[in-house]
């Protein structure tokens, strides 16, 4: 569907496993319960993402990247 015809945004939630140390800050602060932690963060429910970018802000390892698609 062309982006300009959507009434909602879709976001890609990417976790760089090399950078992630599993600190759980993203899971703790995400308002939409996007992340699970299995030693590293996993974007288990990316469709729930609202694009607030809180996870990017709290990740001291810069392991999370949110991209609007
Ligand atoms: S906040 Fe960053 S380092 Fe911590 S678990 Fe999430 S992605 Fe990994
Ligand atoms: S951008 Fe916001 S809603 Fe999306 S995964 Fe990060 S903290 Fe959760």
């Amino acid at each position: 569907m062309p982006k300009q015809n959507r009434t909602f945004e879709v976001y890609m939630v990417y976790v760089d496993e090399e950078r992630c140390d599993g600190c759980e800050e993203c899971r703790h602060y995400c308002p939409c319960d996007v992340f699970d932690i299995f030693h590293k963060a996993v974007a288990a429910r990316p469709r729930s993402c609202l694009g607030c970018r809180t996870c990017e802000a709290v990740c001291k390892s810069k392991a999370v990247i949110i991209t609007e698609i």
Side-chain angles (χ1 to χ4, degrees):
M1 179 172 23
K3 196 169 170 179
Q4 61 268 29
N5 292 339
R6 287 199 216 126
T7 56
F8 57 92
E9 285 79 42
V10 178
Y11 296 92
M12 183 176 74
V13 183
Y14 172 73
V15 178
D16 184 337
E17 288 190 15
E18 297 292 317
R19 288 176 174 262
C20 176
D21 65 5
C23 73
E24 301 197 25
E25 292 293 286
C26 54
R27 186 182 66 80
H28 182 74
Y29 284 102
C30 176
C32 301
D33 195 28
V34 167
F35 299 98
D36 283 340
I37 306 290
F38 298 102
H39 303 292
K40 309 265 183 180
V42 176
R45 289 165 291 280
R47 289 184 183 181
S48 298
C49 177
L50 295 176
C52 68
R53 299 185 188 275
T54 301
C55 52
E56 285 184 337
V58 300
C59 180
K60 62 186 182 311
S61 302
K62 305 292 181 201
V64 191
I65 299 171
I66 304 297
T67 308
E68 186 177 345
I69 54 178

